[in-house]
């Protein structure tokens, strides 16, 4: 049987696990390249004008990858009643029109629909591997995703505390390779340990006063740094710790979180009073997570939303209310192809300043006016 | 005398101030940027040099505004800060009880919400001209009225005229229409002031809790017509501080004082007025982002680079 060539959208570090799984299923993987300005330009050129940023970037990615020869594209579907559900078929239409004959396979996120996920996996399984084999392959690559998430979260924690600006980002890039290159679960676990060990060697100041910022929003712009101007890195360099609400594994290492994988359930529960209905996309998660961040004593929240993204626009209206009710600073970025890095940085810097001054004031008050000289932002 | 220098480089104006330990403003310069920030920074430094060289000692320098990084490397800043923080610091220094800052400049406008002396919320508008000074400039020149007279004239208005001011294009055609209907020019001008205020409150001020004391600053604060229109729309007194058009620079100077805190400044000295600066830009081809990198050199030596999406060019 001919070996099929397959590709998928670019989404953060996860592409490495996707690749692993598809190779296990007997595909030749045509790796997408990290989205760049060229990718976006391509997407903007061929996508409907009012489609959202993720749609354009993903289309651009396909247009960069397809000329290399691709038989199949595997992508994810949307959650609830939002146009993300139509993404794949719209993309398919445009690509067909342009003369690319490629088959789409739409994968539902396993956490949302385990059964559907399994069914699509069977569809992907064109070489008819045994169930046991596939189970092992998924398990192995799932482990890889967890490892990627773990070291990413470690980097997010360390970055604002580093003594030399840029040292965490540089090391992180290096140790990611350990995990990417690991194959068996044992190797992955070892690579993860080694990566964490290396990251821990970076000189940091753990005493430093750091503000904690939660980050919510639409999944693509949250998970793919090139679509948000590497906002997490920028925030880290401004001396704030970011906690992203979304990791593919839904799995978090933060021990301060009440419960473990109940997290997803409680996000929904937290959003209930404000938005009982599923509005599609990740609007409800944005609200639920905002409430959870407030409960956990975070200093502020950033919402990332593609321009024209209905679920996030709805969420924003509610977040404004939450912000006022809880005296909790929230900053929203609407992203499109026109967004500039400079303007975004100005607002981010101002926002982090705000959080720092506010926190300092709170600490001063708690200490009755005189704050300890040991408290320092540096 | 020991002074602190604050520089605010915006797209319309570049402002320089000198303040002392006690926030007394000893000098304030308001210069037009005219698209040539380097030249205007040097020009400002030249003026300061002539007046102050060998007479004062500069203990710290801060820069702000959209050209803050550029200004920072040219003068040797101790701190480079965004304009929201800079404005807020200056205003809370002069009006400690302030709860709302309305700032309208030539190209942008912002609102800063302050509670108990710290910023709790803000918004900026940099895309839509309908809520900024350039909107007024445009209409003033249409009506052949010097912008300085605009505010005074608005106060003479007796009949309210509503101008649709959602966007500059609509405002203009609506204004022409009202002119043809025979409305008096002062009534039309007043209508324009109210349109700008409405725009501002609907865009920048949307969802913000605007509580008094309200401080109005930025170049447009000079316009009494706008000030009155804000007072009417908000039903509150509007405070315009003495140094309303250089508050960003003052904030930068205050931040410089905080940042140096008795330590040695990075300031290169007034001599920079005589240095030679050159800029160039090029496209980076290391990855498909093809960033446009801007580079500035001082006396032939590269002192700064911007525009990259990655840190590749940041190290000099
Ligand atoms: S969630 Fe938002 S960005 Fe995603 S498809 Fe729906 S509207 Fe577009
Ligand atoms: S500056 Fe960095 S991101 Fe930009 S083109 Fe060069 S290598 Fe790529």
């Amino acid at each position: 049987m001919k070996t099929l060539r397959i590709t998928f959208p670019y989404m953060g570090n996860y592409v490495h696990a996707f690749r692993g799984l598809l190779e296990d299923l007997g595909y030749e993987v045509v790796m997408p390249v990290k989205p760049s300005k060229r990718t976006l330009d391509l997407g903007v050129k061929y996508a409907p004008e009012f489609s959202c940023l993720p749609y354009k970037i993903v289309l651009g990615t396909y247009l960069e990858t397809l000329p290399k020869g691709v038989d199949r594209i595997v992508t994810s579907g949307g959650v609830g009643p939002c146009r993300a559900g139509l993404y794949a078929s719209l993309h398919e239409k445009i690509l067909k029109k342009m003369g690319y004959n490629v088959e789409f396979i739409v994968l539902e996120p396993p956490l949302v629909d385990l059964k559907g996920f399994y069914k699509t996996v069977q569809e992907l399984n064109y070489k008819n591997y045994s169930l046991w084999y596939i189970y092992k392959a998924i398990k192995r690559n799932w482990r890889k995703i967890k490892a990627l998430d773990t070291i990413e979260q470690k980097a997010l924690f360390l970055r604002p505390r580093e003594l030399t600006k840029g040292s965490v980002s540089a090391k992180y890039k290096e140790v990611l390779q350990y995990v990417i290159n690991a194959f068996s679960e044992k190797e992955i676990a070892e690579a993860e340990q080694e990566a964490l060990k290396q990251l821990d060697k970076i000189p940091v100041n753990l005493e430093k006063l750091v503000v904690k910022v939660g980050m919510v929003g639409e999944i693509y712009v949250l998970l793919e740094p090139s679509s948000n101007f590497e906002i997490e890195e920028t925030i880290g360099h401004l001396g704030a710790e970011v906690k992203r609400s979304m990791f593919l594994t839904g799995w978090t290492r933060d021990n301060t979180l009440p419960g473990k994988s109940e997290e997803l359930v409680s996000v929904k529960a937290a959003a209930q009073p404000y938005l009982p209905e599923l509005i599609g996309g990740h609007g409800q998660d944005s609200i639920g997570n905002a409430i959870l961040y407030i409960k956990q004593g975070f200093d502020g929240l950033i919402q990332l939303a593609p321009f024209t993204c209905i679920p996030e626009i709805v969420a924003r209206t509610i977040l404004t209310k939450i912000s006022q009710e809880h005296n909790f600073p929230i900053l929203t970025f609407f992203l499109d192809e026109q967004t500039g890095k400079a303007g975004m940085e100005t607002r981010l810097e101002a926002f982090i300043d705000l959080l720092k001054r506010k926190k300092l004031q709170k600490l001063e008050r708690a200490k009755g006016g005189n704050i300890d000289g040991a408290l320092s932002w540096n | 005398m020991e002074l602190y220098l604050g520089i605010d480089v915006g797209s319309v104006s570049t402002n320089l101030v000198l303040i002392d330990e006690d926030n007394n403003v000893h000098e304030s310069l308001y210069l037009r940027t005219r698209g040539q920030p380097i030249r205007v920074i040097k020009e400002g430094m030249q003026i300061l040099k002539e007046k102050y060289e060998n007479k004062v000692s500069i203990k710290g320098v801060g820069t702000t505004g959209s050209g803050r990084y550029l200004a920072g490397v040219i003068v040797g800043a101790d701190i480079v800060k965004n304009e929201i923080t800079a404005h807020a610091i200056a205003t809370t220094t002069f009006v400690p009880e302030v709860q709302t800052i309305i700032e309208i400049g030539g190209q942008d406008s912002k609102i800063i919400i302050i509670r108990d002396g710290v910023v709790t919320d803000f918004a900026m508008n940099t895309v839509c001209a309908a809520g900024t000074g350039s909107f007024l400039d445009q209409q003033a020149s249409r009506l052949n009225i010097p912008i300085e007279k605009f505010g005074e004239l608005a106060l003479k208005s007796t009949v309210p005229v509503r101008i649709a001011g959602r966007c500059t294009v609509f405002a203009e055609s609506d204004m022409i229409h009202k002119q043809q209907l025979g409305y008096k020019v002062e009534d039309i001008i007043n209508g324009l002031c109210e349109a700008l205020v409405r725009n501002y409150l609907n865009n920048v001020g949307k969802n913000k809790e605007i509580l008094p004391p309200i401080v109005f600053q930025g170049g447009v604060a000079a316009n009494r017509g706008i000030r009155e229109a804000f007072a009417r729309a908000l039903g509150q007194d509007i405070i315009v501080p003495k140094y309303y058009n250089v508050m960003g620079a003052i904030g930068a100077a205050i931040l410089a004082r905080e940042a140096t805190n008795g330590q040695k400044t990075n300031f290169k000295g007034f001599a920079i007025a005589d240095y030679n600066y050159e800029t160039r830009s090029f496209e980076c081809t290391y990855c498909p982002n093809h960033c446009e990198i801007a580079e500035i050199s001082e006396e032939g030596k590269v002192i700064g680079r911007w525009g990259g999406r990655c840190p590749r060019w940041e190290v000099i």
Side-chain angles (χ1 to χ4, degrees):
Chain A
M1 193 197 300
K2 178 188 165 233
T3 295
L4 293 179
R5 290 167 65 85
I6 197 163
T7 191
F8 40 81
Y10 200 97
M11 210 191 220
N13 295 324
Y14 301 128
V15 290
H16 303 291
F18 301 161
R19 174 192 201 146
L21 179 61
L22 292 164
E23 280 177 353
D24 288 342
L25 291 175
Y27 287 92
E28 195 173 319
V29 172
V30 185
M31 269 303 256
V33 283
K34 197 170 173 47
S36 66
K37 173 118 192 318
R38 187 183 65 200
T39 319
L40 182 57
D41 288 346
L42 269 173
V44 168
K45 189 165 167 202
Y46 294 102
E49 194 186 336
F50 293 107
S51 52
C52 18
L53 186 72
Y55 181 87
K56 289 174 180 164
I57 297 180
V58 172
L59 180 65
T61 304
Y62 293 155
L63 290 173
E64 282 183 319
T65 335
L66 294 193
K68 296 176 188 161
V70 172
D71 303 298
R72 280 183 168 181
I73 288 177
V74 58
T75 178
S76 77
V79 187
C82 155
R83 49 189 149 153
L86 306 169
Y87 261 27
S89 54
L90 272 173
H91 277 142
E92 196 173 355
K93 242 192 192 148
I94 293 179
L95 293 173
K96 283 247 157 74
K97 240 196 211 153
M98 296 179 70
Y100 290 110
N101 221 337
V102 53
E103 184 190 349
F104 268 76
I105 294 182
V106 181
L107 199 64
E108 297 303 331
L111 280 178
V112 176
D113 177 8
L114 196 58
K115 250 196 201 147
F117 175 73
Y118 172 76
K119 227 183 97 207
T120 333
V121 168
Q122 275 304 347
E123 220 177 304
L124 276 172
N125 181 17
Y126 75 118
K127 293 213 164 158
N128 286 320
Y129 288 116
S130 73
L131 265 183
W132 178 242
Y133 173 87
I134 292 176
Y135 168 75
K136 296 275 282 197
I138 292 180
K139 192 158 165 271
R140 205 167 48 236
N141 288 291
W142 191 250
R143 180 69 187 85
K144 192 175 253 187
I145 292 180
K146 274 190 178 181
L148 291 168
D149 278 353
T150 310
I151 60 174
E152 189 178 353
Q153 291 182 50
K154 183 83 182 179
L156 289 178
F157 172 81
L158 292 174
R159 202 174 275 124
R161 297 170 169 89
E162 67 190 359
L163 295 187
T164 320
K165 185 182 161 189
S167 55
V168 170
S169 294
K171 191 48 122 199
Y172 171 60
K173 218 169 143 188
E174 183 189 321
V175 301
L176 259 186
Q177 289 303 322
Y178 303 172
V179 177
I180 292 170
N181 296 332
F183 181 77
S184 69
E185 278 189 71
K186 185 163 161 280
E187 279 166 19
I188 294 168
E190 282 167 9
E192 180 186 60
Q193 279 319 304
E194 184 55 28
L196 291 174
K197 212 171 100 194
Q198 292 297 328
L199 286 174
D200 271 328
K201 282 192 192 153
I202 301 170
V204 287
N205 175 8
L206 292 176
E207 304 292 300
K208 187 178 157 182
L209 205 51
V210 161
V211 286
K212 283 183 93 178
V213 186
M215 203 157 83
V216 299
E218 188 272 343
I219 186 166
Y220 191 86
V221 293
L222 269 187
L223 295 186
E224 176 42 46
S226 70
S227 72
N228 61 36
F229 291 100
E230 291 81 24
I231 192 172
E232 291 175 324
E233 205 176 339
T234 310
I235 297 174
H237 287 155
L238 287 169
E241 183 183 338
V242 198
K243 182 112 194 304
R244 189 169 79 212
S245 63
M246 209 175 302
F247 283 88
L248 220 50
T249 45
W251 182 84
T252 161
R253 261 187 82 85
D254 197 331
N255 304 325
T256 60
L257 259 179
K260 281 158 264 139
S261 7
E262 292 133 50
E263 200 194 349
L264 267 183
V265 184
S266 60
V267 170
K268 276 221 170 63
Q272 253 332 289
Y274 296 92
L275 184 64
E277 245 151 89
L278 202 59
I279 50 168
H282 300 87
Q284 207 183 29
D285 302 71
S286 292
I287 291 160
N289 278 306
I291 298 291
L292 293 185
Y293 285 134
I294 292 171
K295 287 198 175 138
Q296 289 167 58
F298 274 60
D299 299 293
L301 180 84
I302 287 172
Q303 181 198 17
L304 290 182
F307 190 65
T308 74
C309 170
I310 306 297
E312 295 300 329
I313 290 171
V314 174
R316 191 202 185 194
T317 326
I318 298 167
L319 286 176
T320 308
K321 201 171 115 203
I322 292 175
S323 167
Q324 282 162 0
E325 267 172 24
H326 296 265
N327 183 20
F328 184 65
I330 299 179
L331 180 66
T332 301
F333 284 108
F334 282 111
L335 303 161
D336 71 358
E337 59 264 27
Q338 264 141 90
T339 308
K341 190 177 179 179
M344 199 164 158
E345 267 177 1
T346 299
R347 293 175 62 204
L348 257 186
E349 192 196 302
F351 187 68
I352 304 296
D353 276 350
L354 171 174
L355 299 182
K356 285 182 179 174
R357 289 198 181 246
K358 203 169 168 215
K359 182 163 191 155
L360 212 55
Q361 191 184 55
K362 216 157 92 190
L363 292 171
E364 270 175 33
R365 289 219 173 118
K367 296 211 169 185
N370 234 332
I371 74 154
D372 198 334
L375 287 179
S376 160
W377 297 112
N378 299 308
Chain B
M1 198 170 14
E2 301 189 335
L3 298 176
Y4 297 86
L5 170 62
I7 306 178
D8 179 352
V9 183
S11 51
V12 172
S13 75
T14 293
N15 315 322
L16 294 90
V17 300
L18 289 172
I19 63 163
D20 63 21
E21 281 306 327
D22 303 315
N23 302 318
N24 298 307
V25 179
H26 290 257
E27 180 67 71
S28 90
L29 301 177
Y30 182 94
L31 309 168
R32 293 260 160 201
T33 309
R34 292 200 177 88
Q36 294 182 300
I38 298 180
R39 204 167 129 188
V40 72
I41 292 167
K42 282 180 68 176
E43 197 183 306
M45 292 308 292
Q46 183 62 38
I47 299 172
L48 295 181
K49 184 181 172 193
E50 281 160 19
K51 275 173 93 169
Y52 297 98
E53 199 178 28
N54 302 325
K55 292 198 192 100
V56 303
S57 120
I58 301 295
K59 293 307 224 182
V61 184
T63 61
T64 186
S66 54
R68 60 191 182 278
Y69 294 107
L70 179 77
V73 296
I74 291 181
V75 299
D78 299 298
I79 189 161
V80 175
K81 259 296 165 210
N82 63 82
E83 34 299 27
I84 301 276
T85 307
H87 274 278
I89 292 283
T91 317
T92 49
T93 303
F94 292 110
V95 189
E97 314 77 38
V98 62
Q99 297 213 80
T100 308
I101 301 173
I102 294 172
E103 202 270 346
I104 306 183
Q107 286 289 312
D108 59 3
S109 53
K110 30 188 159 316
I111 188 166
I112 308 174
I113 303 298
I114 300 194
R115 296 292 180 265
D116 300 324
V118 296
V119 178
T120 57
D121 197 5
F122 63 85
M124 288 171 90
N125 163 28
T126 47
V127 282
C128 170
T132 70
S134 65
F135 171 75
L136 282 187
D137 277 342
Q138 266 177 38
Q139 309 315 325
S141 72
R142 265 212 72 87
L143 293 167
N144 265 324
I145 293 167
I147 184 77
E148 303 77 41
K149 293 244 174 80
F150 218 78
E152 306 304 322
L153 264 175
L155 296 183
K156 294 210 181 102
S157 162
T158 46
V159 183
V161 176
R162 190 179 166 97
I163 308 254
R166 273 254 156 239
C167 127
T168 51
V169 181
F170 285 132
E172 201 161 298
S173 61
D174 197 33
M175 195 179 76
I176 295 168
H177 178 65
K178 297 269 152 69
Q179 256 181 310
Q180 285 162 349
L181 288 180
Y183 284 96
K184 281 214 222 106
V185 77
E186 54 259 38
D187 293 332
I188 292 181
I189 289 177
N190 191 47
L192 280 172
C193 291
E194 288 187 336
L196 183 140
V197 165
R198 251 195 333 270
N199 262 328
Y200 176 92
L201 294 174
N202 286 335
N203 296 322
V204 187
K206 194 172 159 199
N207 291 326
K208 301 283 182 266
E209 200 188 10
I210 301 177
L211 297 180
I214 302 167
V215 173
F216 180 24
Q217 59 201 43
V220 174
N223 188 313
R224 288 189 54 200
I226 301 278
R227 191 162 128 196
E228 295 299 320
F230 266 120
R232 279 194 302 273
L234 296 169
Q236 296 288 348
D237 280 343
I238 304 291
I239 303 166
V240 175
K242 184 169 172 201
Y243 298 103
Y244 65 89
N245 62 349
V246 293
M247 293 298 267
I250 293 177
I254 297 173
L255 285 162
R257 194 178 59 217
E258 282 182 8
T260 47
N261 195 15
Q263 284 165 12
K264 203 178 164 304
T265 175
N266 295 328
F267 182 48
K268 294 185 195 165
F270 291 112
I272 54 172
D274 304 316
Y275 288 173
N276 191 20
Y277 293 93
E278 263 164 50
T279 53
R280 71 173 186 123
S281 68
F282 57 91
E283 200 179 273
C284 170
T285 50
Y286 280 94
C287 91
N289 277 328
H290 287 261
C291 302
E292 180 84 14
I293 309 292
E295 186 181 87
I296 173 167
S297 351
E298 177 183 272
E299 301 287 307
K301 200 176 141 268
V302 176
I303 55 169
R305 289 198 200 95
W306 300 267
R309 281 191 62 170
C310 79
R312 171 176 291 271
W313 296 100
E314 274 169 24
V315 212
I316 305 297

